[in-house]
Amino acid sequence: MKLITISGPPSSGKTAVLSNVIKSLKAFGLHAGAVKYDCLATEDDAVFRALGIPVQTGLSGNLCPDHYFVSNIEECLKWGFSLNLDVLVSESAGLCNRCSPHIKGVLAVCVIDNLMGVATPKKIGPMLKFADIVVITKGDIVSQAEREVFAFQVRRANAKAKIMHVNGITGQGASELTSLFLNAPDTPKLDGEILRFSMPAALCSYCLGETRIGMEHQLGNIKRIKLKQEQL
Amino acid sequence: MMTILEKQIEVLKSEVPQVTDFFSDYGIILDDGGFTLGEYLEQLPEDFYEDIGIDQVTLLENLDGFLNQLNLLQNTEAPKVSEITIIGGHDKTGNPEHVELKLIRGSVTSIVGPTGSGKSRLLADIEWMAQNDTPTGRIIRVNGKKPDPELRFSLEYKLVAQLSQNMNFVMDTKVAEFIAMHAESRMIENAEAIVVDIIAQANLLAGESFTGQTPVTALSGGQSRALMIADTAFLSTSPVVLIDEIENAGIDRKKALSLLVKKEKIVLMATHDPILALMAEQRLIIKNGGIHKIITTTAKEKENLARLEELDNKLMSLRTRLRSGELIEES
Ligand SMILES: Nc1nc2c(ncn2[C@@H]2O[C@H](COP(=O)(O)OP(=O)(O)OP(=O)(O)O)[C@@H](O)[C@H]2O)c(=O)[nH]1
Ligand SMILES: Nc1ncnc2c1ncn2[C@@H]1O[C@H](COP(=O)(O)OP(=O)(O)OP(=O)(O)O)[C@@H](O)[C@H]1O
Ligand SMILES: [Mg+2]
Ligand SMILES: [Mg+2]
Ligand SMILES: [Zn+2]
Ligand SMILES: [Zn+2]
């Protein structure tokens, strides 16, 4: 079974792109399944289910969804094997821009859209910088020039990824993306595999439920803002 | 790569000024004189790299990739595409598509056919340089040969630029800044001259004129389309331009096409507008997912085009009169 991790900022088009890919996987006679990791709520499971594939949803609540992902992906992989899936896609909402679900040896995809502005690629951390494929969506509503400038910025943030333009609505580019999914390596197990980039240490008192503000309530891994001298 | 690490930062910044921007994307300010680049990156603490979400090895790989790209853009002309060839596959029911169609630089081809017939699929096959690996089984050759598969993902050698009715500018910049930014991403030297040229050309295509100081998001539909076309003509490296329905765009369609032709683009346009369709040298009729027929625009059709244009002008002048409050009562 091929496991594929899909990350990307909220509403960038991850589900829309995956829906089109899943349709063409089905046309090849392959069995796909999906797992969605999100924070509070998601309706993506309904979208995947409407395509007739099995789905699991994991809600991380007050944890970072990517931290939650690492602790649970092995379980989901086993679930995929139990259903004899050919391809298991794991979609996670990249909420904190610093974590990423990408694992060494597992095909890693990051989905971003043209509307986010040219500064976005540099603001997105490891989920973009360590992806094998960067999918850019919503090219149908911006100008050719903006697409070119945006892709150039993506290249600057990740020199090695394959950069693809896919339209989440019409599916243009999705069969091409599918052909890359078909070449993904198999993932027989995850035990012992490693993340491409460490997740930040989220262990301060606020991680543990503290709500009061003030020095005396801050414990653990605390980092101070560096205030610079500024002229009035 | 190794040699760049041994360069003094000050020397490097004057030789390759773009590295300053590259590093500032990662929040790294190269201001320490005296260090070589290698020493500088080496002395940054581990948790600095943790914070910026990248490790030193990957950062160096990205720098290497960036410098390569710079080099490609500055020193090599994109491999010259002089023609592309579409070799037929099959239609939706599997009937073979007996077509071998060569499209050369500076030519205009229109694509017509009902909704869902496969016009966009044909354009997508060209963009992807299909090699019997799309639903149509078509094969695309470039300069008569099978293109290098890696070119599919190359930003520098993208075969296709696209224009359509639905596209808008979304960036928060002024026209001149915007064009300069596009030129910069192409590493073009004399950006100022190009900015002036593009604005002048776009104003020839659009009805009402705009300046370099107009915010791009404030352009009207027609002005946006005009700027997109002029920008594509001057700044896009892609030899093929795909146009999806620009009939209602409010621009001078004839001038727009002739600008693209003058810049030696291979123009393909999906359209329902008879004037646009007849402006092309040939048109492809798409039916059930396949190219059903290829019609060369006849001399008689070209004559009719002149009459259609007259009609169109008449309608336009009626429109102008309506707008200015006149009655349209003559019989
Ligand atoms: N115009 C246009 N809209 C798109 C495209 N791709 C996606 N969208 C729209 O963008 C919106 C968000 O798409 P989703 O696929 O739900 O995004 P997502 O990344 O899965 O979002 P979350 O799972 O909530 O993080 C939807 O309304 C899509 O229809 C595209 O290529 N073009
Ligand atoms: N030869 C073919 N074999 C199989 N499927 C095809 C073939 N040609 C086109 N299709 C599929 O048919 C569908 C409709 O095609 P497409 O979107 O290109 O139509 P269109 O002519 O652009 O329509 P519209 O005018 O509505 O934009 C797409 O899903 C496309 O992949
Ligand atoms: Mg989603
Ligand atoms: Mg179409
Ligand atoms: Zn996180
Ligand atoms: Zn915390």
Side-chain angles (χ1 to χ4, degrees):
Chain A
M1 182 174 73
K2 298 174 192 303
L3 172 67
I4 298 166
T5 55
I6 292 95
S7 62
S11 298
S12 58
K14 300 178 290 295
T15 306
V17 167
L18 280 176
S19 302
N20 286 294
V21 168
I22 287 164
K23 281 182 206 152
S24 52
L25 285 172
K26 287 178 78 175
F28 279 105
L30 296 173
H31 294 288
V35 185
K36 171 67 195 278
Y37 290 95
D38 214 319
C39 233
L40 297 174
T42 179
E43 281 161 18
D44 286 352
D45 49 339
V47 177
F48 291 125
R49 208 160 277 126
L51 294 169
I53 66 164
V55 194
Q56 293 288 345
T57 302
L59 295 180
S60 62
N62 58 0
L63 290 179
C64 165
D66 286 306
H67 282 72
Y68 179 80
F69 161 91
V70 212
S71 334
N72 291 289
I73 186 63
E74 216 189 335
E75 209 59 27
C76 294
L77 188 80
K78 287 180 185 150
W79 169 72
F81 277 118
S82 75
L83 294 179
N84 272 322
L85 299 180
D86 300 302
V87 179
L88 177 63
V89 294
S90 158
E91 175 186 334
S92 49
L95 291 177
C96 79
N97 275 354
R98 174 55 186 75
C99 297
S100 101
H102 302 323
I103 300 165
K104 285 187 184 158
V106 174
L107 184 69
V109 183
C110 178
V111 179
I112 53 178
D113 78 55
N114 271 300
L115 297 179
M116 292 171 176
V118 279
T120 305
K122 65 179 166 197
K123 289 189 213 149
I124 301 178
M127 72 177 164
L128 173 69
K129 297 193 171 96
F130 289 81
D132 302 310
I133 303 174
V134 178
V135 171
I136 305 177
T137 60
K138 305 187 191 174
D140 53 326
I141 43 184
V142 305
S143 65
Q144 173 73 25
E146 285 162 306
R147 282 194 296 281
E148 290 180 12
V149 172
F150 194 76
F152 175 77
Q153 299 295 338
V154 170
R155 178 55 81 218
R156 215 142 102 161
N158 184 333
K160 288 205 294 195
K162 291 194 150 85
I163 298 177
M164 298 202 55
H165 291 267
V166 178
N167 183 319
I169 293 181
T170 65
Q172 186 173 341
S175 65
E176 291 76 8
L177 181 60
T178 308
S179 66
L180 297 182
F181 278 24
L182 295 176
N183 290 328
D186 282 320
T187 308
K189 63 169 188 58
L190 283 169
D191 188 24
E193 300 297 333
I194 28 184
L195 287 172
R196 296 188 185 201
F197 199 73
S198 65
M199 304 221 181
L203 274 179
C204 67
S205 40
Y206 298 101
C207 297
L208 299 170
E210 180 62 75
T211 52
R212 289 167 297 174
I213 298 173
M215 284 290 188
E216 57 187 305
H217 307 296
Q218 300 175 2
L219 293 171
N221 197 340
I222 302 293
K223 194 164 150 187
R224 301 265 161 244
I225 184 172
K226 292 193 196 95
L227 296 178
K228 290 206 200 93
Q229 290 284 319
E230 289 282 320
Q231 306 291 344
L232 263 189
Chain B
M1 190 64 209
M2 284 307 120
T3 53
I4 195 168
L5 288 178
E6 283 158 18
K7 283 210 167 110
Q8 296 286 317
I9 285 179
E10 294 311 316
V11 178
L12 180 64
K13 280 208 283 200
S14 67
E15 283 179 8
V16 195
Q18 290 91 343
V19 296
T20 313
D21 267 358
F22 173 84
F23 281 106
S24 83
D25 277 5
Y26 293 92
I28 298 176
I29 314 294
L30 295 178
D31 53 1
D32 279 46
F35 276 124
T36 65
L37 180 63
E39 288 164 353
Y40 185 75
L41 295 178
E42 199 56 48
Q43 56 84 40
L44 292 172
E46 186 77 8
D47 43 320
F48 178 79
Y49 287 104
E50 288 267 316
D51 281 349
I52 62 172
I54 196 163
D55 55 49
Q56 206 182 330
V57 176
T58 312
L59 179 65
L60 287 178
E61 273 172 14
N62 280 354
L63 176 63
D64 196 32
F66 178 67
L67 294 172
N68 268 336
Q69 188 187 26
L70 208 64
N71 200 25
L72 276 179
L73 286 167
Q74 283 175 332
N75 300 329
T76 47
E77 279 288 300
K80 189 94 178 131
V81 174
S82 48
E83 57 173 52
I84 57 171
T85 314
I86 302 167
I87 299 171
H90 47 77
D91 69 9
K92 288 189 194 178
T93 20
N95 305 311
E97 183 184 42
H98 297 291
V99 169
E100 184 163 333
L101 178 64
K102 200 183 273 180
L103 302 172
I104 57 166
R105 285 226 164 201
S107 65
V108 180
T109 303
S110 60
I111 301 174
V112 298
T115 294
S117 57
K119 301 184 290 294
S120 300
R121 185 64 252 170
L122 173 62
L123 299 181
D125 284 347
I126 296 172
E127 185 175 22
W128 179 243
M129 302 185 243
Q131 297 299 321
N132 195 8
D133 57 357
T134 64
T136 63
R138 290 193 184 106
I139 292 174
I140 306 296
R141 297 241 161 91
V142 177
N143 295 339
K145 291 192 300 258
K146 178 179 184 217
D148 177 353
E150 280 305 305
L151 289 184
R152 282 178 167 179
F153 305 103
S154 156
L155 298 178
E156 296 75 40
Y157 303 137
K158 232 175 176 0
L159 194 57
V160 162
Q162 293 199 51
L163 281 167
S164 92
Q165 204 114 265
N166 305 329
M167 290 172 185
N168 282 300
F169 290 111
V170 295
M171 266 184 210
D172 188 17
T173 51
K174 305 208 166 89
V175 171
E177 270 168 27
F178 174 75
I179 303 170
M181 194 193 296
H182 190 198
E184 190 214 336
S185 80
R186 296 269 332 279
M187 311 288 171
I188 285 183
E189 305 275 313
N190 55 341
E192 294 83 8
I194 285 203
V195 171
V196 173
D197 278 353
I198 291 179
I199 296 175
Q201 269 299 338
N203 275 319
L204 288 179
L205 305 180
E208 313 122 65
S209 63
F210 58 90
T211 71
Q213 292 312 305
T214 313
V216 290
T217 48
L219 297 173
S220 72
Q223 289 171 329
S224 301
R225 235 57 68 205
L227 179 56
M228 285 179 201
I229 289 171
D231 174 272
T232 302
F234 282 86
L235 273 181
S236 175
T237 44
S238 308
V240 181
V241 179
L242 303 181
I243 300 178
D244 218 346
E245 302 183 19
I246 52 159
E247 29 264 57
N248 302 321
I251 53 164
D252 188 327
R253 291 163 292 185
K254 202 170 195 174
K255 279 194 196 136
L257 283 182
S258 70
L259 173 63
L260 293 171
V261 166
K262 204 168 79 200
K263 292 283 171 182
E264 302 245 282
K265 299 290 185 187
I266 298 170
V267 182
L268 284 152
M269 54 182 177
T271 184
H272 300 290
D273 175 358
I275 296 185
L276 271 176
L278 296 186
M279 275 179 191
E281 289 101 70
Q282 60 179 355
R283 58 184 182 275
L284 313 181
I285 321 301
I286 312 290
K287 200 170 149 186
N288 191 31
I291 299 175
H292 173 62
K293 231 183 195 176
I294 303 172
I295 298 177
T296 309
T297 312
T298 64
K300 186 77 197 159
E301 283 183 320
K302 287 280 178 197
E303 251 172 60
N304 284 341
L305 173 61
R307 287 183 32 225
L308 282 175
E309 284 173 326
E310 250 169 58
L311 260 173
D312 194 47
N313 286 339
K314 251 187 216 149
L315 274 174
M316 285 248 266
S317 71
L318 283 178
R319 220 171 285 148
T320 319
R321 285 172 52 198
L322 269 179
R323 286 196 191 124
S324 58
E326 287 179 41
L327 293 179
I328 316 287
E329 283 193 326
E330 66 268 39
S331 45

